[in-house]
Amino acid sequence: MVILNIIKGRRSIRRYKIQDIPYEKILEILEAGIWAPSSGNLQNWYFIVVKDPKKRKQLAEASMGQGFVYEAPVVIVVCSDTKKVEYFYGSRGKFYAIQNVAAAIQNILLEAWSEGIGTCWIGAFDEKRVKEILEIPKDIEVHALVTLGYPDESPSSDRQPLREKVFFERWGNRVYIPKLYPLLEKLEDLNWKFKDLRNRLKKQ
């Protein structure tokens, strides 16, 4: 599958089929995670694979009561040795550590989706409680929880037009091909109107 198709097709999944994911498949997905770029190649990430129903329930409670965390057959708890990065980069180290882990998580989401497995990246949780549940050392941070499971829903999604998010050479400069830009703008407007009409028809 072309990488852009995987990126555009990926969705945050919160409803899962009652179907186990073999450890071999989970490790393949995590393999993609460890090949993410990291500052100074420090690779400050760690992953805890949680399948145990009791622990998944505890993690769901620690995640502001988000029930789908328990319902997902697998939860990946993503951790960071942030002090390792701070040792090399000082006050910027914490910022770099977050970026490194985020890159690894995105790789995980995309690899999972390419294998037909849905995910949801969760940032709302009680870190102290998660660390207690999984016996995580004090000097290790928990950056995210990622649920994994075979999707039992097909949510739709959309994005704001690229032209609203990209500038050239300076902030606010959106013109990159003066003669073609008005035409591209009209085509993009028509595309959004078509998508809006399609979504409204689906709801009827």
Side-chain angles (χ1 to χ4, degrees), residues 98-112:
I98 293 170
Q99 290 183 324
N100 298 345
V101 171
I105 293 172
Q106 180 72 347
N107 277 13
I108 288 168
L109 304 188
L110 296 177
E111 176 61 22

Side-chain angles (χ1 to χ4, degrees), residues 36 91 95 106 133-135 171 180-181 185 201:
S91 61
F95 180 62
Q106 180 72 347
I133 295 166
L134 301 178
E135 303 176 29
W171 182 270
L180 292 180
Y181 191 80
E185 194 171 42
L201 289 173

Side-chain angles (χ1 to χ4, degrees), residues 10-16 21 29 48 59 63 66-78 102 104-113 116-125 143-153 155:
R10 186 210 59 81
R11 298 289 182 269
S12 293
I13 301 298
R14 295 176 176 83
R15 293 180 61 185
Y16 302 99
I21 303 175
I29 292 168
I48 303 175
L59 289 175
S63 302
Q66 298 181 79
F68 71 92
V69 175
Y70 167 65
E71 293 163 4
V74 179
V75 180
I76 305 296
V77 179
V78 186
I105 293 172
Q106 180 72 347
N107 277 13
I108 288 168
L109 304 188
L110 296 177
E111 176 61 22
W113 191 257
I117 295 171
T119 60
C120 189
W121 182 340
I122 301 161
F125 56 86
H143 280 207
L145 276 62
V146 179
T147 53
L148 270 68
Y150 291 97
D152 197 25
E153 63 174 347

Side-chain angles (χ1 to χ4, degrees), residues 160-177:
Q160 296 175 17
L162 186 64
R163 68 173 187 273
E164 294 183 6
K165 300 298 178 180
V166 179
F167 303 136
F168 293 85
E169 309 302 340
R170 61 175 174 78
W171 182 270
N173 182 32
R174 292 193 172 99
V175 179
Y176 59 102
I177 307 177

Side-chain angles (χ1 to χ4, degrees), residues 46-52 54-60 62-63 69 75-79 125-138 140-142 144-146:
Y46 290 90
F47 310 101
I48 303 175
V49 179
V50 181
K51 278 192 170 188
D52 179 74
K54 182 180 178 181
K55 288 184 178 179
R56 294 201 328 263
K57 186 175 182 180
Q58 291 175 323
L59 289 175
S63 302
V69 175
V75 180
I76 305 296
V77 179
V78 186
C79 303
F125 56 86
D126 181 338
E127 182 181 11
K128 182 179 178 181
R129 180 61 183 135
V130 171
K131 292 177 79 168
E132 288 174 353
I133 295 166
L134 301 178
E135 303 176 29
I136 298 170
K138 289 183 179 180
I140 298 297
E141 296 180 348
V142 180
L145 276 62
V146 179

